[in-house]
Amino acid sequence: MELQKQLLFTVIFTTYFIFIAGDDFYVTLGHLKVQTSDRVQTEAANGVVRRLISDKASLFQLTVDPNLGPVGKDTFKIVKEEGAEIVTIVGTSGVAATWGFHHYLKYYCHCHVSWDSDQLTLPEVLPTVNLTVTSADRFRYYQNVCTTSYSFVWWDWLRWEREIDWMALNGINLALAFTGQEAIWQRVYLRLNLTQDDISEHLSGPAFLAWMRMGNMRGFGGPLPNSWHRQSLVLQHFILDRMRELGIVPVLPAFAGHVPRAFKRLYPDASLSLMADWCNFRDEYCCPYLLDPTDPLFRTVGSMFLSELIAEFGTDHIYNCDTFNEMVPQTANLTYLAQVSNAIFSAMTAVDTTAVWMLQGWLFVNSMAFWGEAQTEAFLTSVPLGRMLILDLQSELNPQYKRLHSYYGQPFIWCMLHNFGGTLGLYGAVENVNQRVFEGRNLENGTMVGTGLTPEGINQNYVMYDLMTEMGWRTQPANLTEWFSLYAERRYGGVNIHADKAWQLLKSGVYNCTQDDYDMHGADIICLRPSLGSTEFVWYNTTELAMAWDELLDASEQFHEAANYQHDLVDLTRQILQVKGGELYGTLVTAFREGNITIFQENAQLLRTLLADLDLVLSSNKDFLLGRWLEAAKALGTTDLEKQLYEYNARNQITLWGPHGEILDYATKQWGGVVSHYYLPRWNLFLDALNSSLVEGVPFNQTFTAERIFNEVEVPFTLDTSLFPTLPQGDSVEIAKLVHLRWRRMLAQPAGQRIPYRRSRSSSLTVSSGQYRIFSFFAEQF
């Protein structure tokens, strides 16, 4: 009966939506808008300017006028008259004004702001301009639910402040705000009569919270200390205050249905089902219960959580909820799917009658076989149109909006996912981004209302994100040849023919992947647990990659001291060594199989030398240091034990990803320190085992060797507490030149394209020994 009432309401709402409210409500999603005053937003926008260019901030005057542009679309106007000293920028919100400021820096002053470093050399005389720009859509969205764990997990307020500034500078006006939710859950669970032990065995460690939140696993890397809850509550208040001051709409979490195992004891009559095993996690850390959304208890728990959350943080009326991330419902029955969706939404509206449900569309990609058109339509349309916002999470490679008919009327955001696990490796599908955004926007009867960045991890391939953020205002594709030339000029602070040639080669090569099914960016051979069966996917001409390396090095005389140049030179050198490492691997494996000891030993030694050179060049740049990641983790600990726990979390996530390598090497990082203390020791053990097999004439035992690598290298690395540098060692440019001298002549164009290395996160090698109870000591102490 309740469902029938809701469906009737949907029909009435839809009729109003189409025939009475018109386009305005649809485009703007009504009340999802700035709630702070123009004065507060103006001050916040000028605060961004002061933090970015403190010595010249007085040359810019930002103000907010919400009546400047059309309703539902941000607009900024930039005016700098001839002879005037001040550049005036007016925006419809704090975000819009800040976006306009950044637009002026980029396109009139040739400056650059990025995750890596800034290039902010302003011209002596600021250029004149009279320009008005209006956004192409309602929203510019930012974050994946995994980004909070892969990239943000150890951030303090200073780092968050910088990121929120970056969001505003790039026009982001809708962003996840997930910090602090475990503190709210602890309060709710205690009110529901769970013990502290019940809660501790459920909440994971900091580096794995994203997957605990989505019901994929539980408890691993924990228990979560109370000091974490206290710190995260304070941090979330800072984050939300600044977002709201600037006019960024924060997306808060809602109850998705995943609950601790203790619910079965406390509520035996509730409809609870164990979640399916995810990525081979064993029972100790897998499979929390899913409280069926159709059970009355779901609404009770969901309302309690949302009420507590809003009481603590306030609300902007939009909530993210992903009940079936990499999981599928218990049945494909259409009535049941409609009831589930309706119940999830009803738990939100029971507390916030104007709630909008934001859903990551990854389930429609990951479980496409389950989510056919009928199942998807039943699930989506049981929520009133306009009250659900879909993130088409990987539009550049796996768009679902066409297959699912613009989500049957629900608005969606066109998103570039691009990165998995925060891995490093030059990659982009630049032509897809430059064309498909406009295809989505121009769909007949389409429901696209924004563009979004949804990487699992940031701090890589900034060029792709710099381009993608511009899709929020561009009305037609960019001229990529011109755009990449200007990118190099802005990023390094000058025009240089060699830098331009390098970026043109990268644009048409490594950044122009056309393989829509390429889903493991960064999972290259040298970073994988060594075996005889690895292959690597190279979609670009490696000779042209080497030519880009030559050209970028030739720009060193002009840009030697430029921070972004140093970063890119290290990154490109890293990519070259990654490719060469794959070639050496292929040669030595062939030699091993053919019994050629001499060729095998020569290439094995070359691979060891290459990994040492890789660590050397990575260690020369601040952006590629293991020590910074580890020290950021330990800095959040308030006791020695907490510091140890957080360091374990930080080390495990980028290596084993689970106590037994459940998602082995998924979030791999080519960082100085990781190469020397993790990748190289693994390869040394593997190569020694192959060499012994050849020399002694005994069969090679892959399973035994993998067990040794696990027990002697991988687990010890995660438990180690050795210190690593937090400052770069050596001159990046000079080291890159030495590496170039050693390896350039050995780079050869492969005879043919190698077969893609395809690995799903659910595949891992199961070892028969080393079944460690890593967390027993931690658990006893908290």
Side-chain angles (χ1 to χ4, degrees):
M1 191 66 176
E2 181 64 30
L3 178 61
Q4 292 174 338
K5 290 180 181 178
Q6 184 63 54
L7 290 175
L8 178 61
F9 174 75
T10 300
V11 172
I12 296 172
F13 183 93
T14 303
T15 302
Y16 173 82
F17 179 80
I18 295 173
F19 296 108
I20 302 176
D23 291 338
D24 182 58
F25 184 87
Y26 178 70
V27 172
T28 64
L29 287 173
H31 52 287
L32 299 186
K33 57 187 179 181
V34 181
Q35 298 185 37
T36 48
S37 69
D38 300 347
R39 180 188 60 79
V40 169
Q41 292 178 70
T42 295
E43 175 56 31
N46 283 288
V48 175
V49 178
R50 290 192 293 270
R51 285 187 291 276
L52 192 66
I53 53 167
S54 57
D55 57 331
K56 295 186 178 181
S58 61
L59 298 176
F60 295 87
Q61 183 181 72
L62 277 60
T63 57
V64 171
D65 178 2
N67 299 312
L68 176 65
V71 174
K73 292 187 177 182
D74 278 324
T75 299
F76 58 79
K77 183 176 183 178
I78 312 169
V79 177
K80 167 62 166 66
E81 296 179 350
E82 189 73 41
E85 291 187 2
I86 305 298
V87 180
T88 62
I89 302 170
V90 182
T92 48
S93 67
V95 164
T98 310
W99 197 13
F101 166 65
H102 185 219
H103 191 92
Y104 183 79
L105 290 184
K106 261 179 103 167
Y107 282 99
Y108 293 88
C109 301
H110 305 292
C111 292
H112 181 79
V113 180
S114 75
W115 291 321
D116 310 320
S117 295
D118 300 334
Q119 189 284 110
L120 294 169
T121 304
L122 296 177
E124 287 296 322
V125 178
L126 294 178
T128 60
V129 61
N130 191 324
L131 175 73
T132 300
V133 174
T134 295
S135 65
D137 314 292
R138 170 67 178 91
F139 294 113
R140 280 84 53 205
Y141 172 77
Y142 179 47
Q143 289 181 50
N144 183 304
V145 294
C146 298
T147 325
T148 58
S149 291
Y150 281 133
S151 295
F152 304 165
V153 55
W154 312 122
W155 284 4
D156 58 12
W157 166 240
L158 285 178
R159 182 61 187 87
W160 262 110
E161 181 177 53
R162 163 69 187 197
E163 194 72 5
I164 296 170
D165 285 355
W166 177 89
M167 293 182 206
L169 288 163
N170 286 282
I172 304 297
N173 63 353
L174 183 68
L176 285 186
F178 266 27
T179 303
Q181 62 179 286
E182 281 67 41
I184 304 300
W185 274 119
Q186 174 143 297
R187 296 177 190 172
V188 171
Y189 287 149
L190 289 173
R191 287 170 55 197
L192 288 166
N193 298 318
L194 277 73
T195 67
Q196 189 59 56
D197 287 342
D198 294 334
I199 299 170
S200 293
E201 75 168 13
H202 179 72
L203 299 181
S204 71
F208 305 98
L209 287 174
W211 302 276
M212 183 277 299
R213 292 166 179 168
M214 293 184 288
N216 301 133
M217 41 84 76
R218 64 189 178 90
F220 177 64
L224 203 58
N226 283 327
S227 62
W228 178 270
H229 297 316
R230 292 193 296 270
Q231 292 171 337
S232 64
L233 284 174
V234 172
L235 183 58
Q236 176 74 334
H237 277 290
F238 278 118
I239 292 168
L240 290 173
D241 286 349
R242 182 58 54 78
M243 283 185 175
R244 289 165 175 160
E245 288 166 2
L246 281 164
I248 299 172
V249 175
V251 181
L252 295 176
F255 179 47
H258 313 115
V259 295
R261 290 278 185 94
F263 263 63
K264 192 66 174 179
R265 181 187 78 246
L266 294 168
Y267 303 98
D269 297 328
S271 179
L272 295 159
S273 58
L274 280 177
M275 298 295 289
D277 171 29
W278 181 75
C279 293
N280 294 327
F281 269 87
R282 302 175 189 183
D283 186 69
E284 182 181 5
Y285 298 121
C286 87
C287 314
Y289 276 110
L290 175 65
L291 175 58
D292 195 299
T294 63
D295 190 295
L297 184 60
F298 183 98
R299 183 166 181 151
T300 299
V301 176
S303 297
M304 289 176 66
F305 173 73
L306 207 57
S307 295
E308 190 73 35
L309 187 79
I310 293 172
E312 180 70 39
F313 299 127
T315 185
D316 294 79
H317 310 292
I318 181 166
Y319 309 94
N320 171 256
C321 179
D322 296 306
T323 301
F324 301 115
N325 180 71
E326 300 191 0
M327 300 284 185
V328 296
Q330 57 183 288
T331 174
N333 179 273
L334 303 185
T335 300
Y336 174 75
L337 293 176
Q339 290 172 336
V340 164
S341 179
N342 177 264
I344 294 170
F345 180 66
S346 295
M348 299 177 199
T349 56
V351 177
D352 181 352
T353 57
T354 60
V356 173
W357 175 6
M358 192 186 80
L359 174 72
Q360 286 203 150
W362 184 245
L363 72 168
F364 304 125
V365 177
N366 180 260
S367 305
M368 192 179 299
F370 178 92
W371 292 103
E373 293 184 24
Q375 288 73 28
T376 305
E377 183 175 14
F379 188 75
L380 298 182
T381 58
S382 69
V383 173
L385 294 182
R387 301 294 293 276
M388 177 183 275
L389 179 60
I390 315 294
L391 301 179
D392 193 89
L393 207 66
Q394 196 183 32
S395 302
E396 85 279 19
L397 294 184
N398 286 299
Q400 299 299 303
Y401 52 82
K402 288 184 180 179
R403 178 177 77 90
L404 301 177
H405 308 286
S406 280
Y407 295 103
Y408 303 98
Q410 297 289 14
F412 75 91
I413 293 178
W414 195 106
C415 300
M416 182 184 79
L417 198 161
H418 180 270
N419 179 269
F420 291 87
T423 56
L424 301 180
L426 301 186
Y427 165 78
V430 67
E431 292 286 358
N432 288 2
V433 168
N434 198 41
Q435 298 294 329
R436 292 183 180 178
V437 168
F438 306 98
E439 293 174 4
R441 189 176 285 149
N442 296 324
L443 279 177
E444 185 177 358
N445 299 319
T447 58
M448 177 177 159
V449 294
T451 54
L453 306 175
T454 52
E456 285 195 348
I458 66 169
N459 298 316
Q460 39 72 36
N461 292 293
Y462 189 77
V463 62
M464 292 303 302
Y465 299 88
D466 199 33
L467 177 65
M468 183 60 207
T469 56
E470 293 190 5
M471 295 301 148
W473 60 264
R474 287 188 176 274
T475 56
Q476 60 185 9
N479 180 318
L480 291 178
T481 299
E482 294 179 359
W483 193 91
F484 270 75
S485 292
L486 289 171
Y487 178 83
E489 178 185 351
R490 294 192 300 262
R491 188 162 169 85
Y492 304 149
V495 176
N496 182 282
I497 188 172
H498 298 294
D500 183 42
K501 286 181 179 179
W503 277 101
Q504 295 303 327
L505 287 164
L506 295 173
K507 168 187 68 70
S508 58
V510 72
Y511 283 116
N512 191 29
C513 182
T514 58
Q515 301 291 321
D516 279 2
D517 61 347
Y518 182 42
D519 63 359
M520 279 302 299
H521 323 317
D524 56 273
I525 286 175
I526 60 175
C527 299
L528 300 176
R529 178 189 281 169
S531 75
L532 287 175
S534 296
T535 54
E536 189 173 30
F537 180 40
V538 177
W539 63 90
Y540 49 92
N541 185 307
T542 56
T543 297
E544 291 183 358
L545 183 74
M547 291 168 58
W549 193 27
D550 299 339
E551 294 290 352
L552 198 60
L553 270 168
D554 285 343
S556 63
E557 183 175 351
Q558 180 175 349
F559 297 133
H560 190 290
E561 303 304 318
N564 281 319
Y565 173 77
Q566 293 175 7
H567 172 101
D568 292 349
L569 184 58
V570 168
D571 205 14
L572 182 51
T573 304
R574 178 206 53 71
Q575 187 76 14
I576 289 285
L577 293 179
Q578 170 183 310
V579 169
K580 186 60 186 176
E583 293 178 2
L584 292 174
Y585 166 83
T587 302
L588 68 85
V589 166
T590 299
F592 172 80
R593 287 174 171 158
E594 294 176 352
N596 191 323
I597 296 177
T598 300
I599 297 297
F600 170 82
Q601 291 179 344
E602 287 176 355
N603 282 273
Q605 184 54 47
L606 283 172
L607 183 56
R608 298 180 208 263
T609 302
L610 180 144
L611 289 167
D613 281 351
L614 177 59
D615 194 77
L616 184 67
V617 71
L618 292 170
S619 298
S620 71
N621 190 275
K622 66 178 178 62
D623 300 322
F624 301 89
L625 297 178
L626 170 63
R628 286 163 61 93
W629 172 254
L630 297 182
E631 293 306 313
K634 289 187 286 185
L636 296 181
T638 60
T639 67
D640 288 342
L641 185 62
E642 289 177 7
K643 293 177 186 295
Q644 292 175 36
L645 178 65
Y646 295 167
E647 181 171 7
Y648 175 81
N649 271 253
R651 286 172 175 263
N652 183 279
Q653 188 208 78
I654 63 174
T655 53
L656 283 173
W657 213 119
H660 305 101
E662 283 80 353
I663 320 181
L664 180 68
D665 298 324
Y666 179 79
T668 176
K669 299 294 187 295
Q670 291 182 44
W671 285 342
V674 180
V675 177
S676 60
H677 285 67
Y678 185 72
Y679 301 141
L680 181 55
R682 292 201 304 189
W683 280 102
N684 281 335
L685 195 155
F686 175 74
L687 294 172
D688 287 346
L690 290 180
N691 188 66
S692 296
S693 175
L694 281 175
V695 172
E696 299 170 12
V698 297
F700 172 69
N701 189 326
Q702 176 69 64
T703 300
F704 177 70
T705 302
E707 290 180 1
R708 285 193 60 200
I709 291 173
F710 177 77
N711 291 319
E712 298 176 29
V713 179
E714 293 167 349
V715 169
F717 178 86
T718 65
L719 298 175
D720 189 22
T721 56
S722 297
L723 298 177
F724 289 87
T726 57
L727 297 174
Q729 312 292 305
D731 185 307
S732 295
V733 176
E734 296 307 316
I735 292 172
K737 288 179 178 178
L738 291 174
V739 173
H740 184 270
L741 188 64
R742 187 197 302 274
W743 294 103
R744 179 62 178 92
R745 63 182 177 81
M746 286 190 271
L747 291 170
Q749 172 68 19
Q753 185 165 282
R754 278 170 272 175
I755 300 170
Y757 172 77
R758 305 287 293 171
R759 177 197 62 156
S760 70
R761 280 174 289 181
S762 61
S763 64
S764 62
L765 188 148
T766 303
V767 298
S768 58
S769 62
Q771 309 303 308
Y772 295 98
R773 293 281 297 178
I774 294 171
F775 306 105
S776 59
F777 172 71
F778 291 131
E780 290 169 3
Q781 304 303 313
F782 284 104

